[in-house]
Amino acid sequence: MTTDRPASISTLAVDWGPEGQPGDTLYQRIDGQLDYPTDLLNLPGLLHGAILRSDQAHARLLAVDTRVARTMPGVHSVVTAEDVPGLNRFGIVVRDQPVFCEDRVRYEGDAIAAVAADTPAQARAAIAAIRVEYQPLPVVEDAASAENQPALHEGSNLLAQESLTRGDVDQALAACAVVVEHEYRTPRQMHGFMETEGGVALPDGNGGVLFRVGCQSGHRDVEQLADILALPRAQVSVEAMTTGGAFGGKDELTIQPAAGILALRTGRPVMIHLDRFESCRSGMKRHPVAVRMTTGCDARGHLLAHRVDAVLDTGAYASLGPAVLENFMDHATAPLYRIDSYAVTGRLVYTNNGLCGAFRGFGGNQATFAVESQLDALACKLGMDPGELRRKNLRSRQEPGSRGQPVRWTAAPATVLDAALASPLWQPGNPAGARWLTGTGLAFGAQGNGLGDGLPDSGGGRLSLTPEGRIRVEFGFADYGQDIAGAITRSVCDALGCGSADVEVVLGQSRGPDSGPTSASRSSVMVHGLLSRMLPEWTQTLKRLAAELTGQPAEDLAPGTGGLFLQGRRLIDYRELAGKAPPDALVAEAGQDFPVAPGQETPVGRYLQLQIATIARVMVDRLTGRVRVTDLHHITAAGRVIYPPGYLGQIEGAAVMGLGMTLTEDMPTRKGRMQRDNLDQYLMPTIGDAPAQRVDVVDDTPENDPYPIRGIGELGIEAVTPAIVSAIEAATGVRVRTLPVSPSALLEAIQAREAQS
């Protein structure tokens, strides 16, 4: 499969140079120069907190005896549900999770009490001394039957149900020449941050609290924490410290409520830092999904019908489960392809299987795994090349989306497919009798930016000149590795002609502008839009003030490195200008709504769309069934690249996370209990497992495009799983539909297939 690559496609590469780039925040993160939230150990009067968690998956809470713990050495405070000053509940969508359980525990890891002590060891000892009396209750562990079991919350265990339909699916299926029906299962994946959940709550001396924690939306955290602590919102502030990663797992409150209550009661800073065992047991996970898909086409391969029935296990509390279900549904309609009729149904259920919530891909990659596998199955049954089947059904750039909504692609889907089919990874297969079987597979994926479906999605930013003469750019986003700070710096430098040392980026402060959450790959879009609003006017103000101070015409002045220039000579530096300008004269603020499709009374789906085609090359050991991914080639169409290191890092990092979901990562439960408790049992890919990766960029973005920049934090994970399982099938003839791939099951299937041949 070789054709000439279209001229609009370039291969992305980053050369850090022998010394790296010490002023670059991405380099600083890689080099370990940035602080973790729990590095703050030199705070005067710092206490250490610990949380007592349930060791039962489901039980009545009959008694919690804290008397011994309160008298132990070094212990300053012990708190339970009765000590919560305000609302003993939190949750982004539904406030159904207790800060501390009152009468029932619903998962192994539910918080029951917390302690603040002089040392971590004293806090842990006090936690161990608390006596809890339980009355075990039946465990709801099977998501498929959860609706028919006793309710974990008021009502039933069905938290949410959605249906998306088009046409008459039964009639369309009857007209199909070829129909495939399969079940797919995806695992409960763990985020595996470098730093587990943690941070510090600091009383401000005036009855308020400052949180310096790992979080993904300081403003949203403030709303919930103020209600929990019974404080006005003005007395609660959050500084998001982002070293260590999040991937959605710190979107929800983690240690903040317990730390805040303890800080208020003791009047001293309180740090809580979960160890890996506690994080494995109580932390957020990816939703396991069980889905049955029935897909049909005519004899020429045109898709006619698509039926989906999915169950998502959200665990004991809602968190962002309803939004994950919505995004799964959107992707399950196969948004890249024309399908005459579909009926997509999804159910989100409560169980006692831990907690599930936001996770990179947000339900979309689970759906894409099944959709792309269905297309491969149809192609096999038709005797057609999988690429040709996709070509017949791909939407054009001008077509509406799968739900009839306007969409805005950054390139024609066919262009991305052409580039994928020209990948150098399409090589000949296995020599006869080889131990390692090799194969190459392809999958396509789409990802939208923004919260979607008309959800409130707005944000703001601020631009100013500091007394030190630095151009300060403030957004409420937290930068968890997408290096939005680097992209902001690059954008400001490009617009003003200044140097990176002139720019100071401030992110994640709840006292600053509310830019919305760090989620849904929305930050880059908002930053570009807001800077486009603020920079032109701010630059004119800068020049006007400099002209007043120097007596030179404003139109002859130009900003640059260190100050403003006249005919190539620096006339006044930024610091002098800041010192002489009137207060607040050089402050600009702007706000905007996230772009949605025009002409819709109620927006449907996501307007700004991205694409990725991933080609995977694998080797499968015929003796053990072990799979090794040797190469990944990603063709991306995601708008203009403004910061290559961040773009490349996001695509490659997301792909490795998808590699783990495909081959090794799973957190199974038995009677509600997690069966893995550390990274020696929960196997995440290491640098030794990472394949060689190439990232190509399709960029046909016009200069006058109003939305040239897109967020790519989730794009790299979208198609990697179906590409790998397609490559496994090319190598072995065996299609895997349950993840992660089991080497023993794969080996057994290979041997059975070889015995028949």
Side-chain angles (χ1 to χ4, degrees), residues 292-572:
R292 175 180 289 275
M293 281 191 179
T294 306
T295 311
C297 63
D298 64 19
R300 294 175 297 171
H302 295 110
L303 297 173
L304 301 179
H306 185 54
R307 174 176 284 146
V308 180
D309 186 12
V311 178
L312 285 69
D313 181 353
T314 205
Y317 302 106
S319 187
L320 277 165
V324 173
L325 173 64
E326 180 273 323
N327 199 44
F328 174 91
M329 299 284 289
D330 201 48
H331 284 72
T333 63
L336 277 163
Y337 307 103
R338 301 182 206 94
I339 303 179
D340 291 347
S341 299
Y342 62 68
V344 179
T345 300
R347 292 173 292 144
L348 182 75
V349 297
Y350 285 120
T351 69
N352 296 119
N353 299 324
L355 293 175
C356 294
F359 202 121
R360 194 181 211 162
F362 213 69
N365 54 316
Q366 293 104 304
T368 299
F369 161 55
V371 167
E372 291 291 297
S373 296
Q374 287 289 95
L375 292 179
D376 283 350
L378 281 173
C380 180
K381 205 164 182 179
L382 285 165
M384 181 181 293
D385 181 83
E388 182 60 26
L389 178 69
R390 286 171 170 81
R391 187 185 304 281
K392 285 179 177 289
N393 295 284
L394 278 176
R395 295 179 182 277
S396 71
R397 194 171 183 173
Q398 293 73 36
E399 287 183 75
S402 61
R403 297 165 64 184
Q405 82 277 24
V407 294
R408 195 178 186 95
W409 302 103
T410 60
T415 302
V416 178
L417 178 63
D418 288 341
L421 296 179
S423 171
L425 297 186
W426 296 107
Q427 302 169 9
N430 309 301
R435 171 178 170 178
W436 287 91
L437 305 174
T438 60
T440 302
L442 162 72
F444 226 129
Q447 182 66 255
N449 284 175
L451 301 181
D453 274 358
L455 293 173
D457 193 356
S458 61
R462 182 181 300 138
L463 196 63
S464 62
L465 193 64
T466 72
E468 297 77 23
R470 301 193 73 193
I471 302 163
R472 176 177 289 166
V473 190
E474 297 177 75
F475 291 101
F477 309 116
D479 186 342
Y480 263 107
Q482 70 269 41
D483 205 36
I484 194 70
I488 291 168
T489 301
R490 182 67 57 88
S491 297
V492 173
C493 289
D494 289 347
L496 298 180
C498 62
S500 59
D502 294 320
V503 182
E504 176 184 293
V505 179
V506 179
L507 302 175
Q509 307 270 350
S510 70
R511 296 292 191 202
D514 184 356
S515 306
T518 304
S519 57
S521 299
R522 59 188 295 282
S523 303
S524 296
V525 177
M526 297 295 284
V527 162
H528 177 265
L530 291 166
L531 286 178
S532 297
R533 284 168 166 76
M534 292 188 291
L535 277 168
E537 182 178 343
W538 190 80
T539 303
Q540 292 305 313
T541 302
L542 192 74
K543 292 166 64 175
R544 178 178 57 78
L545 289 171
E548 292 174 0
L549 293 170
T550 63
Q552 298 294 331
E555 61 269 19
D556 293 343
L557 303 182
T561 300
L564 281 93
F565 290 71
L566 176 67
Q567 298 178 348
R569 177 178 61 87
R570 190 161 70 190
L571 188 65
I572 185 171

Side-chain angles (χ1 to χ4, degrees), residues 170-223:
D170 290 331
Q171 183 176 339
L173 282 170
C176 290
V178 177
V179 175
V180 295
E181 182 175 27
H182 295 290
E183 292 185 2
Y184 302 90
R185 292 184 177 272
T186 63
R188 180 181 290 102
Q189 190 179 12
M190 189 165 67
H191 296 83
F193 339 99
M194 286 190 295
E195 177 171 74
T196 54
E197 301 87 339
V200 183
L202 301 93
D204 63 8
N206 296 308
V209 187
L210 164 66
F211 294 86
R212 303 185 72 184
V213 294
C215 78
Q216 292 180 241
S217 178
H219 292 83
R220 189 166 61 194
D221 284 6
V222 165
E223 293 178 9

Side-chain angles (χ1 to χ4, degrees), residues 11 20 28 34 47 57 78 88 190 329 342 424 441 461 491 564 571 628 644 650 660 684:
T11 299
Q28 291 173 336
L34 301 181
L47 298 176
V78 180
N88 188 26
M190 189 165 67
M329 299 284 289
Y342 62 68
S491 297
L564 281 93
L571 188 65
R628 180 183 168 202
Q650 286 297 288
M684 296 172 59

Side-chain angles (χ1 to χ4, degrees), residues 14-30:
V14 177
D15 182 9
W16 285 105
E19 302 299 325
Q21 298 189 18
D24 191 294
T25 54
L26 182 59
Y27 180 85
Q28 291 173 336
R29 191 184 301 273
I30 294 169

